[in-house]
mmCIF file of all heavy atoms in Angstrom:
data_model
loop_
_atom_site.group_PDB
_atom_site.id
_atom_site.type_symbol
_atom_site.label_atom_id
_atom_site.label_comp_id
_atom_site.label_asym_id
_atom_site.label_seq_id
_atom_site.Cartn_x
_atom_site.Cartn_y
_atom_site.Cartn_z
ATOM 1 N N HIS Z 215 78.653 92.642 115.228
ATOM 2 C CA HIS Z 215 78.507 92.305 116.694
ATOM 3 C C HIS Z 215 77.373 93.000 117.377
ATOM 4 O O HIS Z 215 77.429 94.102 117.737
ATOM 5 C CB HIS Z 215 79.801 92.552 117.371
ATOM 6 C CG HIS Z 215 79.873 92.129 118.926
ATOM 7 N ND1 HIS Z 215 80.998 91.832 119.474
ATOM 8 C CD2 HIS Z 215 78.885 91.809 119.736
ATOM 9 C CE1 HIS Z 215 80.793 91.396 120.775
ATOM 10 N NE2 HIS Z 215 79.472 91.407 120.908
ATOM 11 N N HIS Z 217 73.546 92.024 119.423
ATOM 12 C CA HIS Z 217 72.579 91.045 120.049
ATOM 13 C C HIS Z 217 71.203 91.692 119.856
ATOM 14 O O HIS Z 217 70.990 92.752 120.430
ATOM 15 C CB HIS Z 217 72.930 90.798 121.595
ATOM 16 C CG HIS Z 217 74.298 90.340 121.802
ATOM 17 N ND1 HIS Z 217 74.606 89.097 121.939
ATOM 18 C CD2 HIS Z 217 75.558 91.107 121.960
ATOM 19 C CE1 HIS Z 217 75.854 88.968 122.205
ATOM 20 N NE2 HIS Z 217 76.419 90.120 122.106
ATOM 21 N N PHE Z 297 73.329 88.546 116.333
ATOM 22 C CA PHE Z 297 73.151 87.281 117.128
ATOM 23 C C PHE Z 297 71.729 87.289 117.734
ATOM 24 O O PHE Z 297 71.293 88.382 118.052
ATOM 25 C CB PHE Z 297 74.079 87.356 118.361
ATOM 26 C CG PHE Z 297 75.531 87.625 118.065
ATOM 27 C CD1 PHE Z 297 76.123 88.780 118.573
ATOM 28 C CD2 PHE Z 297 76.277 86.665 117.463
ATOM 29 C CE1 PHE Z 297 77.483 89.020 118.393
ATOM 30 C CE2 PHE Z 297 77.657 86.920 117.278
ATOM 31 C CZ PHE Z 297 78.268 88.093 117.714
ATOM 32 N N HIS Z 395 82.464 85.065 121.380
ATOM 33 C CA HIS Z 395 82.963 86.189 122.248
ATOM 34 C C HIS Z 395 84.141 85.567 123.029
ATOM 35 O O HIS Z 395 84.167 84.518 123.568
ATOM 36 C CB HIS Z 395 81.932 86.459 123.372
ATOM 37 C CG HIS Z 395 80.768 87.355 122.803
ATOM 38 N ND1 HIS Z 395 80.003 87.019 121.770
ATOM 39 C CD2 HIS Z 395 80.380 88.582 123.272
ATOM 40 C CE1 HIS Z 395 79.110 87.963 121.579
ATOM 41 N NE2 HIS Z 395 79.257 88.891 122.503
ATOM 42 N N HIS Z 419 84.680 91.034 120.464
ATOM 43 C CA HIS Z 419 85.457 91.753 121.434
ATOM 44 C C HIS Z 419 86.974 91.562 121.115
ATOM 45 O O HIS Z 419 87.555 92.210 120.237
ATOM 46 C CB HIS Z 419 85.163 91.487 122.896
ATOM 47 C CG HIS Z 419 83.776 91.921 123.263
ATOM 48 N ND1 HIS Z 419 83.312 93.234 123.231
ATOM 49 C CD2 HIS Z 419 82.645 91.120 123.624
ATOM 50 C CE1 HIS Z 419 82.121 93.296 123.637
ATOM 51 N NE2 HIS Z 419 81.594 92.061 123.802
ATOM 52 N N ASP Z 476 76.992 96.075 119.977
ATOM 53 C CA ASP Z 476 76.816 95.054 120.996
ATOM 54 C C ASP Z 476 75.330 95.031 121.434
ATOM 55 O O ASP Z 476 74.562 94.243 121.070
ATOM 56 C CB ASP Z 476 77.789 95.230 122.207
ATOM 57 C CG ASP Z 476 78.048 93.958 122.985
ATOM 58 O OD1 ASP Z 476 77.642 92.887 122.557
ATOM 59 O OD2 ASP Z 476 78.859 94.067 123.954
ATOM 60 N N ASP Z 477 74.999 95.813 122.450
ATOM 61 C CA ASP Z 477 73.588 95.982 123.040
ATOM 62 C C ASP Z 477 73.206 97.509 123.012
ATOM 63 O O ASP Z 477 73.208 98.068 124.158
ATOM 64 C CB ASP Z 477 73.627 95.271 124.383
ATOM 65 C CG ASP Z 477 74.088 93.946 124.408
ATOM 66 O OD1 ASP Z 477 73.285 93.057 123.902
ATOM 67 O OD2 ASP Z 477 75.214 93.568 124.767
HETATM 68 ZN ZN1 ZN W 164 78.383 90.831 122.594
#
Side-chain angles (χ1 to χ4, degrees):
H215 184 154
H217 303 263
F297 309 113
H395 283 54
H419 294 295
D476 206 6
D477 301 286

